[in-house]
C-alpha cells in the first residue's frame, strides 16, 4: 500500500485492517525498527495484538493475534507480543482506551534513556499530550511496566515514556493512537532542539 492508502486504512471499520495499517505506518515513519514495537486494539470479542517476532512493517490483518477479554489467545497459531501485559494494564486502567501503540522511536527513546519528562512546548502538545512523564525503568514484558503506566494514567497522563525503553500511547481508536505516537515523537524531537538551542518555554 502507498502511504496515502495506509492513512486511509486507519479509518477502516475492520479493526484488524486499521491496526495493521497503523503498524505499517509506524514502521514507515521510523517509529520502530526491525522487530521492535507492538500495538493492539479492542474488538467486540476482546482484543487484537501484534504477534511476537514480527516486523511491524510486514504485519497484515491476518497476522494479528485474537485474544479474549482475559487476554488469552483464541488460537495457537501465533503468540501475542511479549509486551501484552503492558497493553492489558492500560485497557484495565482506562476503559475508554480503544487502541495502544508502543514504539521505540529515536527521539522518544533518547528522552526515555535520559529520564526526561516532556513538557508541552506548543498548543498542540498541550492539547493532545499534556505533560508526558518518563517512568523509572522496568524490565520489558513484566507486570511492572504495565503497573507503572497504569499509575501514570490514574494521575492523568495521556502518553508515557518508559525509562531506557521507549514510548507508549493510547487513544479511543487506532487512528488517534497512531497520531499520538507521531506527535509524541515530534514533541520529543522539538524538546531536544529547544534544549540544544538553550531555549526555554516563554
Amino acid at each position: 500500500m502507498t502511504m496515502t492508502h495506509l492513512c486511509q486504512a486507519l479509518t477502516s471499520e475492520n479493526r484488524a485492517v486499521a491496526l495493521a495499517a497503523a503498524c505499517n505506518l509506524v514502521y514507515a515513519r521510523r517509529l520502530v525498527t526491525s522487530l521492535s514495537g507492538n500495538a493492539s486494539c479492542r474488538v467486540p470479542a476482546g482484543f487484537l495484538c501484534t504477534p511476537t517476532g514480527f516486523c511491524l512493517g510486514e504485519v497484515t490483518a491476518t497476522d494479528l493475534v485474537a485474544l479474549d477479554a482475559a487476554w488469552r489467545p483464541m488460537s495457537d497459531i501465533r503468540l501475542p507480543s511479549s509486551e501484552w501485559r503492558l497493553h492489558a494494564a492500560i485497557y484495565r486502567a482506562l476503559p475508554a482506551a480503544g487502541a495502544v501503540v508502543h514504539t521505540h522511536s529515536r527521539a522518544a527513546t533518547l528522552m526515555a534513556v535520559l529520564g526526561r519528562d516532556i513538557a508541552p512546548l506548543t498548543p498542540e502538545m498541550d492539547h493532545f499530550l499534556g505533560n508526558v512523564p518518563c517512568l523509572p525503568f522496568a524490565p520489558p514484558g513484566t507486570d511492572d511496566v504495565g503497573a507503572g503506566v497504569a499509575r501514570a494514567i490514574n494521575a492523568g497522563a495521556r502518553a508515557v515514556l518508559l525509562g531506557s525503553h521507549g514510548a507508549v500511547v493510547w487513544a479511543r481508536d487506532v487512528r488517534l493512537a497512531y497520531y499520538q505516537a507521531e506527535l509524541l515523537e515530534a514533541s520529543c524531537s522539538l524538546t531536544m532542539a529547544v534544549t540544544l538551542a538553550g531555549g526555554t518555554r516563554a
Side-chain angles (χ1 to χ4, degrees):
M1 281 190 185
T2 66
M3 199 73 74
T4 298
H5 288 131
L6 286 174
C7 290
Q8 291 170 343
L10 288 174
T11 62
S12 173
E13 293 183 4
N14 184 325
R15 294 179 198 175
V17 170
L19 186 61
C23 291
N24 298 163
L25 278 167
V26 297
Y27 184 81
R29 297 289 195 187
R30 299 184 179 180
L31 303 183
V32 297
T33 58
S34 185
L35 304 181
S36 70
N38 37 76
S40 67
C41 69
R42 288 187 192 269
V43 292
F47 301 91
L48 293 174
C49 185
T50 49
T52 188
F54 267 63
C55 171
L56 296 192
E58 300 172 349
V59 167
T60 68
T62 57
D63 294 323
L64 298 170
V65 180
L67 305 116
D68 65 18
W71 281 81
R72 294 182 295 250
M74 298 174 72
S75 79
D76 58 1
I77 297 175
R78 293 186 181 87
L79 293 175
S81 167
S82 60
E83 295 278 20
W84 68 266
R85 293 173 182 83
L86 165 62
H87 293 252
I90 291 171
Y91 292 115
R92 285 195 298 268
L94 190 63
V100 174
V101 177
H102 169 43
T103 66
H104 290 188
S105 50
R106 183 180 178 88
T109 301
L110 174 59
M111 291 292 136
V113 169
L114 294 174
R116 286 278 303 273
D117 296 342
I118 304 299
L121 300 177
T122 68
E124 182 185 28
M125 291 170 67
D126 192 37
H127 180 75
F128 291 105
L129 292 174
N131 290 295
V132 179
C134 183
L135 305 184
F137 174 77
T142 65
D143 289 327
D144 291 341
V145 180
V149 177
R151 286 192 292 271
I153 289 172
N154 291 334
R158 286 175 275 170
V160 160
L161 298 180
L162 305 172
S164 298
H165 184 172
V168 63
V169 299
W170 51 88
R172 69 173 182 265
D173 59 38
V174 171
R175 179 178 65 93
L176 293 177
Y178 168 73
Y179 290 159
Q180 285 286 84
E182 269 207 349
L183 178 58
L184 179 56
E185 176 64 3
S187 299
C188 289
S189 293
L190 178 62
T191 299
M192 289 168 52
V194 169
T195 301
L196 288 172
T200 58
R201 186 177 183 182

